[in-house]
Amino acid sequence: MSVDVIAKLKEMAGDPGRVWIVGGQSYAGLLAQTGQLANALVSLGLKKGDRLLLQVEKCEAVLSLYLACLRAGVVFLPVNPGYTVAETAHFLQDAEPALAVTDADRVAGLEALGSRVIALPDLMSLASGQRADFADPNHGPDDLAAILYTSGTTGRSKGVMLSRDNLASNAEALVGLWRFTEADVLLHALPVFHTHGLFVATNCVLYSGASMIFQRAFSPAAVLAALPGATVMMGVPTFYTRLLADPGLTRQSTAHIRLFLSGSAPLSPATHAEWQDRTGHAILERYGMTETNMITSNPYDGARKAGTVGMPLPGVEVRIAGPSGVLPQGEAGAIEVRGPNVFHGYWRLPEKTAEEFRDGWFVTGDMGAFDGEGYLSILGRAKDLVITGGLNVYPAEVEAALDDLPGVAASAVIGVPHPDFGEAVVACLVAAKGAALEEGTVRDALRDRLAAFKIPKRVILLEELPRNAMGKVQKAELRRVHAGLFADR
Ligand code: AMP
């Protein structure tokens, strides 16, 4: 069994000189503050198993409150501050939190929905008057630690129930794999309402006793200024493409970094290659999702293969299945996962949960295939698979070919209803700065790279692709906008 997050925090806080946030709190200070916050939550009547919804702009207190909830056994429920009051209503109704904590200017909006709300500054000042020592109750590894809502690109977003051991086991696996030590300084510019910035980043630091440079938002200039003081950076692919657009990104500005990590969305092989050219670093790509924490990772020492997400983490099993069972090595199919990283179901949706498991394996909804060396490639979400004239087209394969063409900055391939083919492959493209793309030339350029049925029937040029907060392309939105493309044929 893995070491619980709070046991690890206490161990790390034993060294009074250990720094949690560069220029800010020590681990000892963090432990004391989580004790005060846990006492404050108890004084407000919160009990083990109650939910606490947190919707605030990114700040250090989010991490303290996450850990305070773990201490008190209160279920932590962070919500994207970009959501409107109307959108947040769903989480309040569904999760029925005992308390909602928000920025001062949002209190009235959430109160109007009938919730018990406190402004974050008020909670922090209530906590500062509390004792730092907190009588931690006993917690079991399967106790609920957090509920994170999925981004909900199809239908209502679902609450993912994560246990203490889900978090702990994944943290232990990642620290070992990525060689985190107390000498590391992580550059943290990710959102903290999502699994990547909240659990992957924070728990890797905590479980190794490392420190972090905590930036409240991503800005290429701020990241470039901080890189010389950091040893590891975690990012989504958009961080890397935006940094590449900055002339300040050089071998010299990245010389102090030992590891660049990417995940949450596909990193194009073109970006991987360009990064390696400019900086000399091979970005290490990994794969995971809210429901499973991290699943696979490229190796630290072995080849970091662009366009792949590497091998299963220690203790995690991955299989590729078709409709009638597990497929032979090399074949493309549904990615299924089993292990201590897999969540405990969707909040109050036992039937939906049951639908997503097959013989104890979680069906991720992603399609993929293993190569002969055991590296997994993600071929796209199952629901994004395009079936044209009865043939399967994996968007990722077409996107990789498009991204390789000169002048293409980003691409997204979707299936659009077509009277003859059922669906037609359609490419949405963003041109690189100064490049002029033309539909016919793009299609011609693909002819010697892809079979005819995979070549997009239409190429649509866009200023930018619709993306969510983690940089994931919103394909459902593209499908909706372009649904009528072949309607009058
Ligand atoms: P989320 O639950 O918001 O973290 O989204 C999880 C989904 O993001 C996965 O199911 C994948 O579709 C996608 N994803 C995460 N990491 C990668 C990656 N390295 N490459 C491709 N897709 C990824």
Side-chain angles (χ1 to χ4, degrees), residues 194-195 263-266 285-291 309 366 378 381 472:
H194 182 270
T195 184
S264 291
E285 186 172 7
R286 72 7 167 227
Y287 158 62
M289 60 195 303
T290 306
E291 285 91 334
V309 293
D366 291 314
I378 310 283
R381 298 288 296 164
K472 275 198 248 289

Side-chain angles (χ1 to χ4, degrees), residues 408-425:
V408 173
S411 67
V413 166
I414 53 169
V416 168
H418 188 283
D420 279 346
F421 294 101
E423 274 186 308
V425 178

Side-chain angles (χ1 to χ4, degrees), residues 131-360:
R131 294 168 57 91
D133 50 335
F134 174 71
D136 292 76
N138 284 333
H139 301 295
D142 291 335
D143 287 353
L144 202 51
I147 296 178
L148 262 56
Y149 276 81
T150 58
S151 45
T153 45
T154 49
R156 276 263 139 136
S157 100
K158 305 179 285 291
V160 173
M161 298 193 287
L162 296 162
S163 71
R164 301 177 84 93
D165 194 57
N166 285 155
L167 306 184
S169 64
N170 216 234
E172 286 183 352
L174 295 178
V175 163
L177 212 58
W178 296 338
R179 311 274 171 87
F180 267 88
T181 72
E182 59 183 2
D184 275 314
V185 180
L186 174 85
L187 180 48
H188 192 315
L190 291 159
V192 283
F193 55 80
H194 182 270
T195 184
H196 194 169
L198 181 61
F199 298 138
V200 183
T202 306
N203 291 344
C204 275
V205 170
L206 181 66
Y207 271 71
S208 55
S211 308
M212 64 179 119
I213 297 173
F214 193 82
Q215 298 192 332
R216 294 193 170 198
F218 171 78
S219 107
V223 165
L224 287 169
L227 282 179
T231 62
V232 182
M233 190 182 97
M234 280 184 196
V236 292
T238 10
F239 283 16
Y240 292 103
T241 49
R242 290 201 190 150
L243 285 165
L244 278 166
D246 194 311
L249 181 82
T250 59
R251 265 172 202 260
Q252 209 191 347
S253 62
T254 57
H256 195 247
I257 299 287
R258 71 170 180 86
L259 182 60
F260 284 104
L261 286 152
S262 178
S264 291
L267 180 77
S268 82
T271 304
H272 191 279
E274 204 182 334
W275 191 269
Q276 190 151 18
D277 263 9
R278 276 271 283 286
T279 69
H281 292 277
I283 298 173
L284 192 158
E285 186 172 7
R286 72 7 167 227
Y287 158 62
M289 60 195 303
T290 306
E291 285 91 334
T292 58
N293 300 282
M294 297 307 101
I295 303 170
T296 67
S297 169
N298 268 279
Y300 191 82
D301 283 330
R304 299 176 190 170
K305 284 199 207 173
T308 82
V309 293
M311 298 92 167
L313 263 49
V316 175
E317 294 173 276
V318 177
R319 70 181 190 183
I320 306 294
S324 46
V326 179
L327 295 172
Q329 191 272 317
E331 282 191 28
I335 301 176
E336 301 185 352
V337 186
R338 191 165 73 170
N341 55 320
V342 175
F343 73 132
H344 288 231
Y346 294 111
W347 171 255
R348 290 182 178 162
L349 292 172
E351 281 157 25
K352 182 77 199 154
T353 304
E355 278 170 25
E356 311 269 329
F357 280 84
R358 181 155 50 165
D359 320 324

